[in-house]
Amino acid sequence: MKTTAILFLLTIICTTVFGQTDKTKRPSPPDSVKVTTSDGVTIDVNYSRPSLKGRQIGVDIVKVGEIWRTGANEATTVAFDKDVLIEGKKLTKGKYSLYTIPGEQETIVIFNKTWNQWGTKYDQAQDALRVNVRNSTSTTPQEQFKIDVDKSGKIALIWGDHLLPVQVKAAR
C-alpha cells in the first residue's frame, strides 16, 4: 500500500513538472526559423505564435503606440552571426530580443540587448537599435502570428492582414 501511494505521488509530481516544460502544448506554441542569406548572414529567430482568437490588432491587442513583445511567452530572439545593417543602420553581431511599437503608417522595430527573459520585461535602456519600418498588408492573412526570413534577408512579421518587412544586409 505504501509503495502504491509513493508511486502515485511520484506520477503526479512528474506529470506536473515535466508536463509544464512541453512548450508545444501552450496556447501560443514556439516556432523558429533559421536562414543563411545570399550575402552570408545567418539569421536565427525563436518566438512563440499567439493567435487572434477573434481579437482585432490595433484595438484588442498590439495597440498603436504601445510596446509589444512581438510574439508571446518568452522574449522573441533574433541572432545574427555577422555585423548587419537593419534598414541601413548598423547592428553588431549577436543575439537580441525583438520588440515593436506599432504606428498608423510605420512601426518602430527594436533590437534589445537583454534576450534571455520573459517577453514583457522590456527595458528601453537596453535597446541596441531602433528602426522605423513602413507598415504593409499581407495577401495571406495569418490567424497565428508568423515570422518568415528569406534568402534576401527580409524578415517578415505577419499577423492577421498586417505585414512588417524588415530588411537585413551584411555590414561591409
Side-chain angles (χ1 to χ4, degrees), residues 69-117:
R69 66 171 126 180
T70 315
N73 304 321
E74 295 84 2
T76 293
T77 61
V78 182
F80 307 100
D81 71 336
K82 294 178 174 55
D83 292 351
V84 293
L85 298 174
I86 309 285
E87 295 294 320
K89 294 184 178 180
K90 188 166 185 175
L91 182 64
T92 306
K93 73 177 179 177
K95 191 172 190 175
Y96 301 92
S97 56
L98 184 68
Y99 292 88
T100 49
I101 302 174
E104 294 293 337
Q105 304 300 318
E106 290 186 331
T107 294
I108 299 169
V109 178
I110 304 164
F111 295 86
N112 188 279
K113 294 178 225 172
T114 308
W115 58 268
N116 191 17
Q117 65 184 4

Side-chain angles (χ1 to χ4, degrees), residues 35-47:
V35 170
T36 300
T37 65
S38 54
D39 62 358
V41 176
T42 299
I43 303 171
D44 188 4
V45 181
N46 290 279
Y47 67 107

Side-chain angles (χ1 to χ4, degrees), residues 26-31 45-52 55 57 61-63 66-78 97-102 110 117-121 143-147 156-159 164:
R26 291 178 172 175
S28 301
D31 203 351
V45 181
N46 290 279
Y47 67 107
S48 291
R49 300 186 65 194
S51 296
L52 287 174
R55 299 173 294 180
I57 294 172
I61 51 174
V62 191
K63 295 182 180 175
E66 294 182 14
I67 191 83
W68 181 50
R69 66 171 126 180
T70 315
N73 304 321
E74 295 84 2
T76 293
T77 61
V78 182
S97 56
L98 184 68
Y99 292 88
T100 49
I101 302 174
I110 304 164
Q117 65 184 4
W118 195 252
T120 56
K121 293 186 177 184
E143 167 64 23
Q144 254 189 336
F145 176 66
K146 182 173 179 58
I147 299 177
L157 310 176
I158 311 161
W159 203 14
L164 190 66

Side-chain angles (χ1 to χ4, degrees), residues 21-36:
T21 60
D22 185 359
K23 295 178 183 180
T24 61
K25 300 211 183 304
R26 291 178 172 175
S28 301
D31 203 351
S32 63
V33 59
K34 187 174 184 176
V35 170
T36 300

